[in-house]
Structure formats: structure tokens, C-alpha cells
Amino acid sequence: MRKTFIHKYNDIISVENLLTAWQAFKNGKRNKNDVQTYERNLMENIFDLYFSLENKTYTHSPYKHFKINDPKPRDIHKAIVADRVLHHLLYNVLYPFFDNKFISDSYSCRFKKGTHKGLKRFRSFALKVSKNNTKQCFVLKCDIRKFFANIDHTILKEILKREIEDENILWLLGNIIESFQTKDITNSNPWVSVGKGLPLGNLTSQLFVNIYMNEFDQYMKHKLKTKYYIRYADDFVILSGDKRYLEDLQIEMQNFLTQNLKLEMHPDKVYIKTIGSGVDFLGWIEFVDHRILRTNTKKRMFRNLNKNKYKKESVNSYLGMLKHGNGEKLKHNLLNMEFVEKNQVV
């Protein structure tokens, strides 16, 4: 029997749950002006949000748009504080239910997962496929074209409808999903909404894309029976000793993505390589017996360190990252640059 999300709307939107969501949201944001403004009248704001949810008069507010370059240009859409508190509330109650449905080899935005676990799994798969580096190992590397911008609202809501019984919860999730629309630049009127896209920056978006791509994960694992498959957001790999198998698999994967999720693999970012020639995955170039940091990742690391004036926390964070690969030279350079910065050596 299929297990569905049985929690009720009125229990989820309680003032107690909203306050718990507020506590999770404000971590690391106490110095932000909009957060301080909201906190000055915290209980009034929480009750306003609660009553709008209880009466179903809630409407998600417009987003503040800005661009970042990390490492490539990205459009970020920031919601107001009240909406972000609600995002935390929904994430808190929905994540445990959906996380149990995800495959173990999905590593993006999940508790006790992440890039380092994904890299470790890649190395484990490479050793198994290559039989401890004695056989050829091919890697099919894939990427989704404009991933967040092309998440189809209708398909996402249909997936959620299969998993959630309460119509009021579905109404609220639909409200958040429809609060953002990608503009179709191919349309004669570029400002016509096309019912697709999720905003980079929403906590709910992180969960929604995993729910969406879980359809593909299940197809890969249970229909196509791909044993050595790893996904991190829109970045995924399949390892095999048979190149022809991967070529045939690529066609089936694209057909499923197009027909079922209205997504396309990026034509310039899909390729088959041997592990011996180096495979770009999760910021590192993977080889048979070692990994090195990708050039763009190195540049971004030093750019961020310069921006943060080599703060101890930033330096330690990157030193921790470098432990996961062959980064002794980079570590040496990083520590030398930290010394120069802090001692103003010319």
C-alpha cells in the first residue's frame, strides 16, 4: 500500500510550528535589516501570518531579484521574511516524509548527504566497475539544461497530489509554486508566463526539485536498473565498463526526461569519458586514484577568500574541503596567502 502524507493542514500551520520555523530561519540572519524589522513585532507578525493561513487569504509576496556570479551568472529571487518563515515551516514537515522516498544515491540538499558523500560514492563505484583499476571504466556525465527555470508547475503539482491527501496543504504548496514563473524568451511576448520555473533561493525549491527529479531517479534505478548511478541536483553520472550500454542508456534517459518531466539534457555538457582521462564531477576532476580541484572552483575559492579578507572561518572551511582531494599545493598556497593578507606583507 502506497504511503501518503497524512498530516493535516490546521496542525501544520499552528503558531507553535510557525515559531519553530522562525527560530530555524533566523539562524545566521540576525544582523539583516529585514529580519530585525520583522523581529521587533515578532508575535504580531507571526499571528498575522497564522490568521492568513487559517483563513486561506495568504498570498505569496513578489520576489526581490538580484544577480550573483558564483561561478557563473545566476538569477536569485529573494522572498520577504514572512514567506521565508513559511518556507521553513513547510520544509520542516515535508522533508522527513519525502526524504524516505528518495534513493540513497541522491546527494543534493539532504541531511547526511552532500558533495563529499557523493564524491566518496563515485570513487567507490569507480573501483567496483574498474575492478580495482584493472578494467576500463566509462562514465556518462549528464547535466540538465536550465534546470530550475524549466521545472514544470503542472507536473510538480501532480506529483505532490499523488503523495499528499489534504487539499488545503496542496492549495498552499500550489500558492508557493505559482508565486514564481519563468518568462519564456521564445514567446512573441517575452513577459507571458508559461507555468514553469522555481526560484533559486527558496528553501522549498530545494525540496521541490528533489521531489521532481525523484521521478527520474526511480526510473533509473527500478525501470532501467542502473546500478552505478549518482545524482546531485541536475548533475548526474552513470558508470559502466560498457561504452555502448551508456550510449543506448543516454537515449532512454533523454526520452524519459522529455516526455515525463519536460526537461532536456544540456547538449554541451553530456559526454562519455574514461575515468583515466578525468571526469568533472561536483567541483573536482576525478581520476582513477586521485582527484584534483576544478580550475573554476579554485578561482572561486581564492575570490571568496579575498572578498572575506581571509577570515579564519573561511580559511578553515576551504582547508576542510581540500582534505577530500589532492590539494596539498593549494593548501600551501592558501596558507601563504592568508599569512600575507593578515601581516600586510608586500
Side-chain angles (χ1 to χ4, degrees):
M1 184 177 178
R2 188 181 183 88
K3 185 179 180 181
T4 57
F5 186 79
I6 59 174
H7 297 279
K8 298 301 180 184
Y9 178 78
N10 287 334
D11 296 330
I12 290 172
I13 64 164
S14 69
V15 171
E16 181 182 7
N17 285 344
L18 285 169
L19 286 170
T20 300
W22 160 257
Q23 292 297 328
F25 161 75
K26 72 175 182 178
N27 267 343
K29 305 183 186 73
R30 297 293 292 270
N31 294 327
K32 303 290 185 181
N33 289 334
D34 55 349
V35 177
Q36 291 176 348
T37 300
Y38 193 87
E39 189 168 29
R40 277 197 287 270
N41 298 291
L42 178 61
M43 292 312 300
E44 181 181 344
N45 288 324
I46 290 293
F47 273 106
D48 283 346
L49 179 56
Y50 167 73
F51 286 125
S52 72
L53 293 169
E54 183 187 42
N55 298 324
K56 292 182 68 178
T57 57
Y58 169 81
T59 301
H60 198 287
S61 298
Y63 294 87
K64 179 182 178 181
H65 170 250
F66 58 94
K67 292 180 179 289
I68 63 170
N69 291 282
D70 189 25
K72 60 184 179 181
R74 295 182 186 275
D75 290 297
I76 303 297
H77 294 82
K78 180 181 176 182
I80 65 170
V81 171
D83 292 331
R84 284 184 283 160
V85 171
L86 179 59
H87 297 166
H88 274 265
L89 169 69
L90 291 170
Y91 187 89
N92 289 345
V93 296
L94 291 173
Y95 174 82
F97 171 77
F98 282 103
D99 189 65
N100 284 329
K101 291 179 173 284
F102 298 155
I103 66 169
S104 61
D105 285 315
S106 164
Y107 288 89
S108 175
C109 302
R110 295 181 64 192
F111 183 59
K112 293 186 178 180
K113 296 287 184 176
T115 56
H116 301 319
K117 291 286 181 67
L119 289 167
K120 185 176 180 181
R121 187 65 159 168
F122 183 98
R123 176 62 56 82
S124 171
F125 280 175
L127 288 172
K128 288 179 181 178
V129 172
S130 68
K131 300 188 185 304
N132 289 325
N133 302 326
T134 61
K135 302 289 184 180
Q136 188 68 276
C137 174
F138 296 95
V139 181
L140 171 58
K141 172 73 165 56
C142 304
D143 188 282
I144 301 293
R145 181 178 176 272
K146 295 183 178 179
F147 181 45
F148 274 79
N150 284 309
I151 300 296
D152 186 274
H153 290 184
T154 300
I155 294 173
L156 175 57
K157 288 189 288 186
E158 284 299 317
I159 296 170
L160 291 169
K161 192 173 182 179
R162 294 202 307 263
E163 305 291 350
I164 297 172
E165 295 180 355
D166 193 305
E167 291 292 333
N168 289 327
I169 298 174
L170 292 171
W171 165 80
L172 181 56
L173 295 176
N175 194 313
I176 293 171
I177 292 167
E178 297 297 339
S179 69
F180 178 83
Q181 302 252 352
T182 302
K183 305 307 176 184
D184 186 359
I185 59 173
T186 64
N187 194 292
S188 58
N189 180 353
W191 299 108
V192 172
S193 296
V194 292
K196 64 181 181 180
L198 293 174
L200 281 168
N202 274 14
L203 183 61
T204 47
S205 294
Q206 297 177 10
L207 179 59
F208 286 153
V209 295
N210 269 340
I211 293 170
Y212 199 82
M213 285 300 288
N214 185 54
E215 301 291 300
F216 181 66
D217 295 340
Q218 299 298 331
Y219 173 74
M220 292 296 292
K221 297 299 288 186
H222 301 299
K223 179 68 175 178
L224 298 183
K225 308 292 185 182
T226 49
K227 190 173 182 180
Y228 301 111
Y229 164 79
I230 303 170
R231 184 179 64 82
Y232 188 98
D234 61 334
D235 199 0
F236 48 97
V237 292
I238 303 95
L239 292 79
S240 174
D242 185 345
K243 185 178 180 182
R244 180 62 183 272
Y245 163 75
L246 294 178
E247 291 171 342
D248 293 340
L249 192 66
Q250 182 180 333
I251 297 170
E252 295 188 69
M253 290 160 57
Q254 183 57 77
N255 287 340
F256 180 88
L257 287 167
T258 302
Q259 295 169 14
N260 295 274
L261 298 177
K262 295 186 179 180
L263 296 173
E264 296 178 21
M265 289 195 285
H266 199 298
D268 300 327
K269 297 181 180 180
V270 176
Y271 56 81
I272 298 174
K273 294 182 71 173
T274 63
I275 189 72
S277 62
V279 177
D280 186 340
F281 187 54
L282 302 184
W284 294 82
I285 308 297
E286 292 281 345
F287 292 92
V288 173
D289 56 359
H290 70 286
R291 67 172 64 103
I292 60 174
L293 204 60
R294 187 169 58 191
T295 301
N296 284 344
T297 308
K298 285 188 279 189
K299 290 179 178 178
R300 184 165 74 252
M301 178 180 74
F302 285 114
R303 187 169 60 245
N304 289 340
L305 287 167
N306 280 320
K307 181 180 177 181
N308 293 322
K309 300 187 182 300
Y310 284 81
K311 289 181 180 177
K312 182 178 180 180
E313 296 82 1
S314 297
V315 172
N316 287 339
S317 175
Y318 282 115
L319 287 174
M321 179 186 74
L322 293 174
K323 290 179 181 178
H324 295 273
N326 299 75
E328 284 304 312
K329 183 177 178 181
L330 273 176
K331 178 181 176 181
H332 178 73
N333 290 342
L334 191 159
L335 291 172
N336 279 348
M337 291 179 74
E338 180 194 17
F339 177 81
V340 169
E341 178 70 24
K342 288 189 174 180
N343 293 278
Q344 297 183 343
V345 177
V346 179

